[in-house]
Amino acid sequence: MVNQQMQQYEYQLPDTLDTSGSKLVYLYLKVEEEATINELHTALGMKKITLYSLLQTLKATDLVDQEGAIYTPGEANP
């Protein structure tokens, strides 16, 4: 049997995150540090159209940055 260690993360969610989807995407990017739409879709099981909408909202509040196809945590992250 393989002994696996779970990493523990402690993040404070910004007050502007008001949906479970936006919180999930935000936390995923905080932990993974970057992701594409395809990676988010695969990892989170969310529809791409939903992800595009959530990411647009997160970008508008500077919680997510985008460079090409890569999304990263934004400057407004606590």
Side-chain angles (χ1 to χ4, degrees):
M1 180 185 278
V2 176
N3 184 10
Q4 296 179 351
Q5 284 186 318
M6 290 188 64
Q7 289 183 322
Q8 291 186 344
Y9 298 96
E10 192 171 314
Y11 295 113
Q12 184 173 357
L13 291 173
D15 294 334
T16 56
L17 297 176
D18 58 356
T19 67
S20 58
S22 63
K23 292 174 185 175
L24 185 60
V25 171
Y26 173 83
L27 287 173
Y28 183 86
L29 288 173
K30 287 289 285 186
V31 170
E32 295 298 322
E33 298 180 358
E34 68 178 33
T36 64
I37 286 285
N38 287 334
E39 290 168 338
L40 289 165
H41 168 70
T42 300
L44 304 177
M46 298 173 76
K47 294 181 181 180
K48 290 181 183 181
I49 191 74
T50 302
L51 288 168
Y52 280 115
S53 176
L54 290 170
L55 287 164
Q56 284 299 109
T57 302
L58 292 169
K59 284 175 24 182
T61 56
D62 294 325
L63 292 172
V64 168
D65 290 329
Q66 179 183 7
E67 187 170 325
I70 305 291
Y71 294 90
T72 58
E75 295 296 320
N77 287 309

